[in-house]
Amino acid sequence: MDTTKTSAPLTPEADPAEPKTPAQADRADGSTPAATKADTTKAETDVSTSDTETPAETAAGPTGEADDLDDPDGLDEPQERIVGGVGAAASAIVAAGLGLVALSGTWVSRVIAERQTLIGQIESVNATSTEAKIDALYGDAWHLTALVNGVVSTLALLLAVFVLARPAFGVPDRVLPVWIRSVAWAAVALGALGVLLFGSMYFDLLLPMPKAAG
């Protein structure tokens, strides 16, 4: 009996393990490489940040534009409301016209002065002195001219003052346009000048009646 045992076939020897990189080792273990994990985490952070900031920026955009439109100068001070009425404009123009016409002499004042001169000629027949004749022929006519023109100047002054003072008793923060205020102030100046001038003439403070010699 052959007692010699047959040896088992020799298995080929396994190749010595080659050195593996950390990435290959992670792939072999089924895990994600460290660099890939970092990139993925960074990408997710960027996406979440973008999603978070976009609505805020979108909401802030229209608001900023609206603020710029409402307050272009960056001031939060209340703005005055400029409202120009047709009545105020017409009144200012009429007042300026009346003041100018009064200074140059109105047609009504000339008619009244000529009528008074005619009456003075009739009365001068019975005048006993030279001063009485001068007063009858010229004095009354000049005084009536000054009186009529002074009344017209007073109307112009009162109308212009009313135009300038009217917004103060109306809607708050309501102001007239610049051109209406300019015309009204011009009417105030013309009216005040007319009242001063013709008042002085009527009371013989300016250009008094001449006196006859001897």
Side-chain angles (χ1 to χ4, degrees):
M1 183 176 183
D2 189 2
T3 59
T4 305
K5 294 183 180 179
T6 305
S7 62
L10 298 174
T11 59
E13 296 181 357
D15 295 334
E18 296 179 358
K20 295 181 180 181
T21 61
Q24 292 176 348
D26 291 337
R27 291 193 188 96
D29 297 338
S31 59
T32 304
T36 306
K37 289 182 179 180
D39 295 339
T40 305
T41 305
K42 181 178 181 181
E44 291 177 356
T45 304
D46 294 339
V47 171
S48 62
T49 305
S50 176
D51 294 340
T52 304
E53 293 178 356
T54 300
E57 294 175 356
T58 304
T63 305
E65 294 177 358
D67 293 339
D68 293 340
L69 292 176
D70 294 338
D71 193 10
D73 296 333
L75 301 176
D76 294 333
E77 297 178 357
Q79 299 294 330
E80 293 182 342
R81 197 153 55 95
I82 299 178
V83 180
V86 177
S91 299
I93 294 173
V94 169
L98 288 176
L100 184 61
V101 168
L103 289 176
S104 61
T106 62
W107 177 81
V108 176
S109 65
R110 287 197 298 269
V111 171
I112 294 176
E114 291 175 359
R115 181 178 182 276
Q116 187 61 37
T117 300
L118 180 59
I119 295 174
Q121 290 176 354
I122 297 173
E123 293 178 351
S124 64
V125 176
N126 300 323
T128 58
S129 64
T130 305
E131 292 183 358
K133 289 182 179 181
I134 293 175
D135 187 64
L137 290 173
Y138 304 103
D140 294 340
W142 290 350
H143 288 162
L144 284 177
T145 301
L147 178 62
V148 173
N149 290 333
V151 170
V152 175
S153 297
T154 303
L155 291 176
L157 178 61
L158 293 177
L159 186 57
V161 171
F162 173 78
V163 171
L164 293 174
R166 179 65 180 85
F169 301 96
V171 182
D173 298 333
R174 179 181 184 272
V175 296
L176 295 173
V178 176
W179 75 270
I180 295 181
R181 285 180 285 172
S182 300
V183 174
W185 278 113
V188 169
L190 292 173
L193 180 61
V195 170
L196 180 62
L197 177 63
F198 295 119
S200 300
M201 292 176 64
Y202 181 80
F203 293 104
D204 291 331
L205 300 176
L206 180 67
L207 300 176
M209 290 294 298
K211 302 294 183 181

